[in-house]
Amino acid sequence: MSELYFNRPMPHGGKLVERVIKDRKVAKKYLKACTKYCKFYDIKPTLHYKRGVPVRNVYREIMSVCYGFFSPVEGSMTSAELESVLSKRRLLSGWVFPYPILFDISKEDFQQLGVSEGDRLILRLKGKPFAMLDIEEIYEIDPEELANRTFGSPETNPEVVREKFDDKHPGWVIYRSYQPIILAGKYTIINEPVFKPPFDRFWIPPRKCREIFEEKGWRTVIAHQTRNVPHVGHEMLMKAAAFTGDVEPCHGILVNAIIGVKRRGDYPDEAILEAHEMVNKAGYIKPTRHLVSFTLWDMRYGNPLESILHGIIRQNMGCTHHMFGRDHAAVGEYYDKFATQILWLKGIPSYGFDKPINEVEGGLQIRPQNMREFWYCPHCKEMAYSESCGHDKEKQKLSGSLIRGLVAEGVQPPAIIMRPEIFKVIVKWWRKFNYPFVNEKYVLYKEEQLEVDLPDLD
Amino acid sequence: MEYILEVFLDENRLNKIKGTSVESQIEAVFGGELKVLRVKIGEELKDQILKAFETARIDSRACITDTPVAFKRALFEEIANQKSLGEEVVKGVLNRIDQIKEAAAKEAEFLPAPDIDISDIE
């Protein structure tokens, strides 16, 4: 029987990256030595290259690297590693990785800092020491070229890219807004940030997550990617996708929300996390089978590329399966609606994958569960799966956008498309922020507050 | 391709189109729990709407969503005034785009939360 069981996959790259100094005495010693010999730099948000609003904060990437979510990445990429990622979507070690991970600063800041290769830089967050960056290489990039090469184009990636990326695409804007000087090298967190409520109770780094799976006896776990509050279609996706597994349905469902700067019109991060938690608190999926967590990342909305990152994160967290739906992590019509599923079922040669992503060398072990969609069928009188329900003509599709429209107009969505408890969570945070969705005010508030505070280390 | 603009109807809106030719075109969806009017438009008007409102997007149902509430309100007013679901109602809305954008800018800062009891989840 045991040969039919699926084993928990190894971390991507074979070993979980953990670059956090937890012993405060040791951290203080590092800081004391650094105060004499190192330069200090206050982390700044990346601002939209045209509009000047925050689109990213690199602290989120440092957290995700150092706690192992992005294993085997250990820091800001060197120029050779960047080229390898852009041309082959692989690290120099050969392991698949979709996106550039870079620490960028302006030319003015670089001149003021006066650092060179071999130096150690102390990164401050909210005015307090946060992490060290051991500088291996300093080089310059062209942000527009970086943005274009990161996502590709209809000409270079004809299998899945449908439109040229531009400044309506939030991920392209992030890379386009990078500063031109890259400091490459490994990060080490020396002062562990403390998460604020409600983020604190959903912070489950990969090692902890794997321990929880062991404690719960979850041999198989399916990951659910989210950047949204769940409507009943999402709930059905989770429930149905979890029927996969090995000899029995997946033991656990790990909801992993992406927390960071979002698009205007998305829901606030706080509402997303608590709304997913409400799915289990209200009993729609038992809490013994459902766990809510998050990863810090300013989403790039790169559909198939984003799905690779999601696969890496959730494999590192210990999941055996990952559900993927239509338009995974997508925005607009830049990609084929099923680009992610094409990647995981056939591969996308122009991105460097002539086979499915878990069959290529250096690929992933997590298994995809590719799902089509759910709609309301008035004939079946239930939320039905598109590949099962035969009443195509009668189908009533629901989408997050439809529900956002109802919410904005003050109309409570019918319970058949959004659970009333979930709507109440939206209203709770609506009252706090005077707005149900992300707007410019919320983006600025989040940038000022972030998800964390830093303790004193001096 | 054809794109759709949906206008959801509450009691107040239902009363305003009562007895008109539009009333017969009301559709009930999601088990009859939601009443909606659908305006169908072509590429050109779709492009104008997406250009006018940064948040606007097209969902998996080919519906244009995430337009400002002010836009949806104006669209319903045009439907009620013109008693039509044709493209002319959208053209009527776009004719007063500056006024709608002004209202939309205000609503980007504040939308009143519904007055419902949430004490059981807090």
Side-chain angles (χ1 to χ4, degrees):
Chain A
M1 194 68 169
S2 61
E3 69 269 18
L4 296 177
Y5 291 166
F6 288 161
N7 295 318
R8 199 169 320 294
M10 67 170 189
H12 189 50
K15 184 172 169 284
L16 268 184
V17 168
E18 290 181 288
R19 301 191 59 84
V20 183
I21 296 175
K22 291 180 179 275
D23 186 325
R24 295 185 66 76
K25 278 185 191 166
V26 175
K28 280 180 185 179
K29 276 173 84 174
Y30 268 105
L31 186 63
K32 199 174 170 189
C34 287
T35 307
K36 285 183 185 168
Y37 304 111
C38 306
K39 299 283 170 55
F40 285 72
Y41 178 79
D42 288 295
I43 289 177
K44 296 174 181 173
T46 303
L47 303 178
H48 191 297
Y49 75 109
K50 280 183 180 167
R51 293 174 41 227
V53 293
V55 292
R56 163 193 180 239
N57 191 310
V58 72
Y59 112 86
R60 297 191 179 97
E61 287 156 43
I62 297 172
M63 291 287 281
S64 291
V65 165
C66 292
Y67 282 92
F69 290 88
F70 292 174
S71 299
V73 173
E74 294 186 287
S76 169
M77 293 173 176
T78 61
S79 57
E81 190 122 81
L82 172 62
E83 183 54 36
S84 177
V85 165
L86 291 175
S87 59
K88 295 186 285 190
R89 307 291 161 177
R90 281 163 179 83
L91 304 171
L92 290 174
S93 57
W95 294 101
V96 165
F97 203 84
Y99 286 131
I101 299 294
L102 302 170
F103 189 85
D104 57 311
I105 61 171
S106 68
K107 286 182 179 175
E108 298 73 35
D109 283 348
F110 177 56
Q111 277 168 0
Q112 268 187 8
L113 269 176
V115 289
S116 58
E117 287 156 6
D119 283 343
R120 172 170 284 172
L121 185 63
I122 299 293
L123 306 174
R124 278 191 298 230
L125 186 65
K126 293 181 149 183
K128 294 186 179 168
F130 164 53
M132 303 187 294
L133 168 58
D134 289 311
I135 303 170
E136 290 169 39
E137 185 191 358
I138 298 171
Y139 60 98
E140 192 169 342
I141 54 157
D142 172 352
E144 182 153 1
E145 187 194 349
L146 175 73
N148 288 335
R149 289 190 67 200
T150 295
F151 293 99
S153 69
E155 291 75 34
T156 56
N157 309 90
E159 309 98 317
V160 290
V161 178
R162 298 287 171 258
E163 284 181 13
K164 186 179 179 338
F165 289 86
D166 55 21
D167 61 10
K168 280 204 100 173
H169 187 276
W172 186 90
V173 165
I174 289 178
Y175 283 111
R176 175 62 187 81
S177 303
Y178 271 37
Q179 296 294 337
I181 304 295
I182 303 300
L183 306 182
K186 291 177 183 173
Y187 298 128
T188 310
I189 290 176
I190 55 169
N191 189 15
E192 274 198 283
V194 177
F195 279 91
K196 295 190 271 198
F199 301 101
D200 52 351
R201 62 180 194 274
F202 303 107
W203 174 243
I204 310 174
R207 178 166 302 283
K208 178 73 183 165
C209 195
R210 286 170 171 259
E211 286 168 10
I212 291 173
F213 291 175
E214 288 301 320
E215 283 163 19
K216 286 178 176 280
W218 288 359
R219 182 178 65 246
T220 49
V221 185
I222 189 161
H224 175 70
Q225 152 63 25
T226 187
R227 59 177 170 106
N228 212 334
V229 300
H231 54 59
V232 177
H234 294 127
E235 185 189 311
M236 292 307 295
L237 171 68
M238 282 189 262
K239 286 173 171 169
F243 278 120
T244 191
D246 47 27
V247 297
E248 53 194 351
C250 277
H251 294 160
I253 298 169
L254 178 76
V255 176
N256 189 240
I258 295 297
I259 298 298
V261 177
K262 290 203 173 57
R263 297 178 62 210
R264 282 200 272 173
D266 285 347
Y267 290 93
D269 289 328
E270 294 84 348
I272 293 170
L273 288 167
E274 287 200 342
H276 273 281
E277 183 188 39
M278 187 55 78
V279 170
N280 69 53
K281 279 170 91 173
Y284 296 110
I285 301 176
K286 283 182 179 178
T288 48
R289 196 173 180 226
H290 185 259
L291 181 66
V292 183
S293 62
F294 69 90
T295 299
L296 290 169
W297 170 244
D298 299 308
M299 195 147 148
R300 307 302 202 260
Y301 297 89
N303 195 325
L305 298 174
E306 204 86 15
S307 81
I308 299 174
L309 185 70
H310 292 161
I312 290 170
I313 293 168
R314 284 80 197 228
Q315 181 174 321
N316 285 332
M317 296 179 86
C319 296
T320 48
H321 299 74
H322 200 303
M323 58 186 91
F324 295 111
R326 171 184 45 74
D327 270 336
H328 183 83
V331 60
E333 295 174 64
Y334 296 93
Y335 283 106
D336 184 285
K337 285 189 186 316
F338 292 98
T340 286
Q341 308 205 357
I342 292 170
L343 172 76
W344 289 78
L345 289 172
K346 290 197 290 192
I348 302 175
S350 65
Y351 277 140
F353 308 113
D354 57 358
K355 287 185 281 191
I357 193 79
N358 24 19
E359 289 178 26
V360 296
E361 206 167 320
L364 280 78
Q365 290 188 348
I366 195 168
R367 293 168 172 79
Q369 179 64 9
N370 292 317
M371 303 290 287
R372 289 283 161 162
E373 55 192 315
F374 287 86
W375 58 51
Y376 178 75
C377 173
H379 198 96
C380 301
K381 290 189 168 51
E382 66 178 13
M383 205 59 75
Y385 183 53
S386 62
E387 304 309 290
S388 300
C389 177
H391 309 115
D392 278 38
K393 286 184 183 161
E394 297 158 68
K395 71 186 175 202
Q396 293 173 2
K397 286 186 165 190
L398 73 161
S399 70
S401 307
L402 161 78
I403 295 170
R404 275 194 301 276
L406 289 168
V407 170
E409 291 193 64
V411 179
Q412 176 157 354
I416 204 157
I417 59 175
M418 178 174 270
R419 306 294 189 186
E421 297 92 339
I422 305 288
F423 183 68
K424 286 180 182 180
V425 172
I426 293 173
V427 172
K428 173 186 165 183
W429 290 100
W430 187 342
R431 288 178 185 168
K432 156 92 178 154
F433 296 120
N434 285 321
Y435 206 72
F437 312 118
V438 170
N439 58 8
E440 203 152 301
K441 206 168 158 188
Y442 177 80
V443 169
L444 295 172
Y445 162 83
K446 270 302 290 280
E447 178 47 46
E448 189 192 315
Q449 295 288 316
L450 300 178
E451 295 80 12
V452 295
D453 280 323
L454 279 96
D456 288 325
L457 193 60
D458 301 330
Chain B
M1 188 170 164
E2 196 170 64
Y3 298 90
I4 300 161
L5 283 159
E6 289 182 319
V7 180
F8 303 110
L9 303 171
D10 55 14
E11 281 304 313
N12 183 34
R13 285 182 177 175
L14 281 167
N15 285 335
K16 285 184 178 166
I17 54 171
K18 204 170 183 180
T20 71
S21 56
V22 172
E23 189 181 19
S24 61
Q25 296 177 71
I26 295 173
E27 296 177 47
V29 291
F30 299 115
E33 290 192 49
L34 198 59
K35 294 196 168 46
V36 63
L37 288 173
R38 292 197 168 105
V39 180
K40 292 172 182 164
I41 62 170
E43 293 282 346
E44 196 183 324
L45 284 177
K46 178 263 296 181
D47 289 342
Q48 285 184 43
I49 293 167
L50 292 188
K51 196 177 165 196
F53 303 110
E54 196 190 44
T55 54
R57 56 182 110 180
I58 296 165
D59 75 3
S60 60
R61 307 164 302 144
C63 288
I64 300 172
T65 64
D66 297 85
T67 51
V69 174
F71 174 83
K72 299 299 275 292
R73 203 175 293 132
L75 183 59
F76 177 75
E77 283 166 13
E78 287 292 333
I79 291 169
N81 288 340
Q82 297 192 39
K83 299 177 182 55
S84 163
L85 293 181
E87 282 200 333
E88 60 276 11
V89 296
V90 178
K91 287 175 183 162
V93 174
L94 292 172
N95 280 342
R96 45 187 176 123
I97 195 74
D98 290 341
Q99 179 197 336
I100 293 165
K101 279 186 172 177
E102 202 181 315
K106 284 180 194 154
E107 79 187 42
E109 283 281 309
F110 176 77
L111 278 174
D115 186 21
I116 61 167
D117 179 15
I118 61 166
S119 56
D120 57 328
I121 65 115
E122 282 188 302

